[in-house]
Amino acid sequence: MKVAVAKYAIQAPTDFAAFAERQARVLGDATAQGARIAVLPEYLALELAATFDASIQADLHASLLAIQRYRDDWLSLYARLAKELDLHIIAGSFLLAHGAGRYRNRSDVFTPHGTHAWQDKLQLTGFEKGLGVIEGGDALKVFDLDGVRCGVSVCYDSEFPLPVRAQAEGGARLLLVPSCTDTEAGATRVRVGCLARALENRIFVAQAVTAGEAPWSPALDVNTGEAAIFAPMDRGLPADGVVVQTTGDQRWAIADLDIDALDRSRAEAQVANDRDWVGQLQPALVRARVERFD
């Protein structure tokens, strides 16, 4: 299974047609390199706020409302590209109106066979909470993509072990992480979260990122980090857990992931965090006992 994760340089499309044309080029590039799954970054749909006037661009609440008019076009675009390119597309995320002035940070999944599914972001960052209009999702899913069971974990969600563990127990062998971070600390947090989830669950983790600067946008103004694919740090796998990552202006990090070989490697594992997970759930270990010294 060849997987591509994007280091996506944010731009300012003039209209939806320009946005769509770029998506076709970017994803076509991934297909030309043999990718079967392509992951785009979190908040991708906010790039469409650039198609409105400056007052809307500068106001995130107004931007969220304005981009809703593109929702149907968004769905049609990626459904078409998935079919034309014979590619599974994780289309970053779209801040989708959910009623009563609320939004969900939704990552859409499109298959070449015409299937559309999604995973909503579950945990909100301080920035998202501060907006007062975004809410977390209420369902956790896994998806079968060409016989490989995958989970989607949107940015901050990758820093929480239990939902990802539930996805792994649901059969996920590959975790797909659309992300967007504006500081080195934020980029490091998500990267470390991805490495930890790969280690704990003995799965591959594929992280896409935003890149560059967009001073016109309150949400996409500064972007950091490298797109990467991670694996458990064990015998026969990269010692630092990094299968591949972008550097410089490289757009895609692409790797051919052998899920069956990863599973077989359990027999020779130096550590087996996934199998030993239940050991930490012993009743005596669920809560720490306070030892007092007189």
Side-chain angles (χ1 to χ4, degrees), residues 38-182:
V39 187
L40 294 168
E42 183 188 28
Y43 287 166
L44 176 61
L46 282 175
E47 192 178 60
L48 289 166
T51 65
F52 301 100
D53 64 41
S55 64
I56 292 177
Q57 293 177 18
D59 184 331
L60 186 51
H61 290 83
S63 295
L64 294 177
L65 181 60
I67 66 171
Q68 300 309 308
R69 71 186 65 180
Y70 292 132
R71 179 61 179 173
D72 289 343
D73 293 331
W74 171 277
L75 295 175
S76 296
L77 169 64
Y78 289 108
R80 174 176 61 81
L81 291 176
K83 184 176 181 179
E84 290 178 356
L85 298 173
D86 194 27
L87 181 68
H88 299 278
I89 301 172
I90 288 72
S93 74
F94 190 109
L95 276 296
L96 180 63
H98 197 66
R102 311 289 289 179
Y103 300 86
R104 289 197 177 181
N105 194 352
R106 177 160 294 183
S107 184
D108 292 296
V109 178
F110 299 87
T111 77
H113 320 298
T115 303
H116 167 233
W118 64 85
Q119 175 65 60
D120 289 338
K121 189 173 186 176
L122 305 174
Q123 300 287 341
L124 304 183
T125 64
F127 172 76
E128 289 167 328
K129 290 178 182 176
L131 292 175
V133 296
I134 299 177
E135 61 183 31
D138 55 10
L140 184 65
K141 305 177 183 181
V142 292
F143 312 98
D144 282 315
L145 304 181
D146 279 2
V148 175
R149 193 157 289 184
C150 304
V152 173
S153 188
V154 182
C155 199
Y156 189 37
D157 284 345
S158 68
E159 299 175 37
F160 291 85
L162 297 184
V164 176
R165 180 65 187 181
Q167 289 171 310
E169 290 177 347
R173 313 304 299 129
L174 172 62
L175 186 69
L176 308 169
V177 182
S179 73
C180 175
T181 55
D182 62 352

Side-chain angles (χ1 to χ4, degrees), residues 202 234-236 262-271 275:
R202 201 167 190 83
D234 210 329
R235 185 180 286 117
L262 179 67
D263 286 341
R264 288 194 301 270
S265 72
R266 282 192 176 92
E268 300 177 353
Q270 293 172 315
V271 295
R275 290 201 308 263

Side-chain angles (χ1 to χ4, degrees), residues 193-215:
C194 289
L195 283 162
R197 305 297 80 82
L199 171 64
E200 291 163 354
N201 300 293
R202 201 167 190 83
I203 60 176
F204 290 113
V205 180
Q207 179 197 0
V209 302
T210 48
E213 297 184 359

